[in-house]
Amino acid sequence: MSDRRFITNEACPKLIDDTGAICGEPSNIIEQRTDPTTGLINAVSECRAGHQCAASIDPETYQIYNRRWIS
């Protein structure tokens, strides 16, 4: 298993109000580790506005699973 760091620069998709507006700030992975059982990368990303989400990433297909907001 490679220890390659996943780096993203995608727009933060967090809804910030009731009108459906999203944050849109660039977000990057700030912490990651490999789950030895599943082989998935468990990562935490944060945008410039401070929104954080956790997700699992398949390192072979780059599919994202279980994205959830943590702040």
Side-chain angles (χ1 to χ4, degrees), residues 1 5 25 29 39 54 56 58 63:
M1 177 65 57
R5 296 248 339 140
E25 289 288 334
I29 292 176
S56 298
D58 184 324
Q63 180 74 28

Side-chain angles (χ1 to χ4, degrees), residues 36-52:
T37 305
T38 63
L40 296 176
I41 306 294
N42 295 318
V44 175
S45 66
E46 181 177 62
C47 77
R48 284 191 220 164
H51 303 127
Q52 291 186 346

Side-chain angles (χ1 to χ4, degrees), residues 7 10 12-13 18-19 22 33 38-39 41 44 46 52 56-57 65 70:
I7 300 173
E10 61 183 27
C12 175
D18 293 336
T19 66
I22 63 168
R33 63 182 170 79
T38 63
I41 306 294
V44 175
E46 181 177 62
Q52 291 186 346
S56 298
I57 304 167
Y65 302 97
I70 56 178

Side-chain angles (χ1 to χ4, degrees), residues 4-28:
R4 184 182 63 183
R5 296 248 339 140
F6 281 80
I7 300 173
T8 63
N9 193 11
E10 61 183 27
C12 175
K14 184 166 186 167
L15 293 175
I16 56 173
D17 63 25
D18 293 336
T19 66
I22 63 168
C23 173
E25 289 288 334
S27 64
N28 291 300

